[in-house]
Amino acid sequence: MKSTIPDTGVPIAPPATNGGDREAASLHGEILLRLRDYVVEGHIPDGGRVPERQLCEMFGISRTPLREALKVLAAEGLIELLPNRGARIRQLSQRDLEELFDVMAGLESLAGRLACEAITDEEITAIEQLHYEMYGHYLHRDMHGYFQANQRIHESIVAAARNETLKTAYANFAGRIRRVRYSANFARKRQRWAEAMREHEAILDALRRRAASELSDILFQHLRNKRTAAIEHLAEPEQDAPAAP
């Protein structure tokens, strides 16, 4: 299947966030989403302390809701809580990355195989829509929008597997590598972002055909390629890394 994915696009501003009145629980969810994005997109360096006062001012909130959100991110594996000393970004070694991505590759590979047995036409249509949304973000070099759609595609395939044990395990490990999975798209040596888009074309094609073994293999290799890009990006000089959108 010949790919139509180009290597470059035209920069645009990130999409505006939705407004509207929110209940307290919704407000907590909004704070959590914004804080998670801020951490995942690399605004605080690996191993760096979380600047609570600065974040409170940025989000217009008090320390209490911020710390509640930090507890969630700690449970997800993105940060570490330090007794009486705040929090810092969890730093993963190369060995950590290799092990985590291999586990994720196995989980997504199994999810793809099971999803082909149970997925509905409506679910495939929804994933197709997410794919084209993601493609649009890719063309406009909007990494924030691209990554959000990308994660929803992977989560949708896992959900379509109809296996709650798999879904729970996936959510546990996905949180721990979410930050590095985002930054791996910036790996300079291999044009990883374009490569990932082409892989997603193959993922969608196999899913449409419900080709279980093929999709399983594609997803496993997709995560292996992401692992290689993540390790390459980890080794790149910090000053050469592109700024997060």
Side-chain angles (χ1 to χ4, degrees):
M1 181 178 65
K2 183 175 175 58
S3 174
T4 60
I5 305 298
D7 288 338
T8 59
V10 181
I12 62 169
T17 56
N18 294 327
D21 297 332
R22 299 183 184 276
E23 300 292 338
S26 297
L27 180 59
H28 171 74
E30 180 70 18
I31 293 168
L32 177 59
L33 288 173
R34 292 178 64 190
L35 181 60
R36 185 188 289 118
D37 286 345
Y38 191 83
V39 170
V40 166
E41 293 174 10
H43 295 285
I44 308 171
D46 286 345
R49 295 290 290 272
V50 176
E52 293 188 21
R53 180 178 299 178
Q54 177 184 331
L55 292 173
C56 286
E57 293 175 356
M58 182 185 305
F59 297 151
I61 57 175
S62 67
R63 285 285 179 91
T64 299
L66 178 69
R67 287 175 175 171
E68 288 302 311
L70 288 173
K71 289 178 184 178
V72 176
L73 296 191
E76 292 178 355
L78 279 170
I79 67 169
E80 295 175 301
L81 298 178
L82 307 173
N84 303 315
R85 291 185 292 132
R88 68 184 175 194
I89 302 301
R90 183 180 293 276
Q91 190 164 16
L92 299 174
S93 67
Q94 178 173 329
R95 185 59 183 166
D96 291 332
L97 293 179
E98 290 171 349
E99 293 180 355
L100 285 167
F101 271 101
D102 277 351
V103 171
M104 286 293 288
L107 292 173
E108 293 211 24
S109 175
L110 175 59
R113 184 179 297 274
L114 295 178
C116 286
E117 299 174 358
I119 198 166
T120 65
D121 291 342
E122 291 76 17
E123 286 173 317
I124 291 177
T125 297
I127 291 173
E128 285 178 332
Q129 291 172 344
L130 285 171
H131 175 85
Y132 292 123
E133 177 185 329
M134 181 178 70
Y135 183 31
H137 291 308
Y138 166 79
L139 289 175
H140 293 96
R141 314 308 283 172
D142 171 16
M143 177 58 80
H144 176 87
Y146 167 89
F147 188 73
Q148 297 300 317
N150 179 290
Q151 294 300 284
R152 288 167 63 195
I153 288 171
H154 285 278
E155 290 165 2
S156 296
I157 292 173
V158 171
R162 308 287 194 271
N163 186 307
E164 289 302 316
T165 301
L166 171 60
K167 186 176 179 180
T168 299
Y170 177 85
N172 177 43
F173 286 103
R176 296 172 66 183
I177 63 169
R178 185 177 285 114
R179 175 182 167 93
V180 72
R181 198 167 180 168
Y182 177 93
S183 64
N185 291 299
F186 294 121
R188 292 182 290 112
K189 291 182 180 179
R190 57 195 296 127
Q191 290 290 322
R192 176 57 201 166
W193 197 354
E195 181 183 64
M197 252 323 309
R198 295 187 183 103
E199 290 167 5
H200 265 272
E201 283 191 327
I203 288 169
L204 180 59
D205 178 62
L207 188 62
R208 284 169 173 155
R209 293 183 286 108
R210 291 177 171 82
S213 295
E214 184 178 341
L215 179 58
S216 178
D217 290 344
I218 292 170
L219 284 167
F220 187 87
Q221 191 59 49
H222 179 62
L223 268 293
R224 270 299 181 88
N225 291 343
K226 181 76 76 173
R227 183 188 75 164
T228 300
I231 292 171
E232 286 178 358
H233 185 67
L234 183 68
E236 290 173 357
E238 186 175 342
Q239 63 268 26
D240 290 346

